[in-house]
Amino acid sequence: MIDKAKAVIEAAKEKMQATVTYLDEDLKTYRAGKANPAVFDSVMVSYYGTMTPIPQVASIATPDAKTMLIQPWDRTLLKPVEKAIMDANLGFTPQNNGEVIRINIPAITEERRKELVKKARTSGESAKVGVRNARRDAIENLKKLQKDGLPEDSEKDFEDEVQKLTDNFSKKVDELLTAKEKEIMTV
């Protein structure tokens, strides 16, 4: 029974970690006024009939904080990549010189910064809900194990351990949000 309870806690920990990792990856795609190649991770381009993310068909360099260079490995992709960036509505105007696509990162407005912070907080709240759902599932499973013979005091100890995990992962979510808000609001 103790091994099953430990497995329940480990599963909860993995779910919580996955939630925090997802939030971290999601926050990286927010354009905060600096050149960040991660904004292209979700932009798809048709590559030999298959929709493929831009980072898988081109190298993306950031020579400085306000410029990105995209160099497709196949020159025939210059126009499709340029079109995909325009269609993605990221607020960029790509400039194609026949070899690379240059993107100058415009400064974002105060209003847009506030929208991004609001969006980040919404994502953070969703992550916290995910962490709490993992806690709820773990506690339900521990209560089932108690009915199947796990001693009550052991079950309470495991519940306390799940709560500590929940608190730690909620704190990580808050730390990610605080860092991202600071990045977004820095002019």
Side-chain angles (χ1 to χ4, degrees), residues 3-158:
D3 289 340
K4 286 183 182 178
K6 287 182 179 176
V8 166
I9 288 174
E10 193 57 38
K13 184 177 181 181
E14 287 173 14
K15 283 181 187 174
M16 291 177 190
Q17 183 60 53
T19 301
V20 171
T21 302
Y22 178 81
L23 174 67
D24 190 31
E25 293 302 313
D26 183 45
L27 291 177
K28 285 179 184 174
T29 64
Y30 291 24
R31 188 170 72 80
K34 288 190 215 110
N36 179 2
V39 298
F40 297 113
D41 289 352
S42 62
V43 180
M44 305 297 236
V45 65
S46 179
Y47 183 60
Y48 294 110
T50 305
M51 294 309 282
T52 311
I54 288 178
Q56 292 182 16
V57 298
S59 64
I60 303 174
T62 53
D64 60 56
K66 296 287 181 191
T67 310
M68 283 191 276
L69 296 176
I70 301 174
Q71 185 165 19
W73 296 309
D74 182 351
R75 280 224 173 116
T76 60
L77 283 176
L78 276 168
K79 288 277 185 214
V81 167
E82 185 178 15
K83 183 177 179 342
I85 293 168
M86 293 295 284
D87 292 346
N89 199 14
L90 298 171
F92 298 139
T93 306
Q95 299 165 350
N96 178 351
N97 70 4
E99 289 184 22
V100 296
I101 297 171
R102 177 179 304 274
I103 296 177
N104 293 315
I105 310 298
I108 57 178
T109 64
E110 185 70 21
E111 182 180 320
R112 177 70 177 138
R113 288 179 194 277
K114 288 178 181 170
E115 283 176 27
L116 283 172
V117 167
K118 191 184 279 188
K119 185 178 171 189
R121 287 183 181 153
T122 302
S123 295
E125 193 51 47
S126 295
K128 284 184 178 182
V129 168
V131 168
R132 289 193 298 264
N133 286 343
R135 177 190 68 189
R136 183 199 62 222
D137 294 346
I139 289 175
E140 285 174 6
N141 288 334
L142 288 171
K143 289 198 184 300
K144 286 177 189 169
L145 288 176
Q146 183 186 352
K147 288 178 183 172
D148 293 342
L150 181 70
E152 187 177 340
D153 57 338
S154 295
E155 190 264 343
K156 290 293 179 201
D157 290 343
F158 287 124

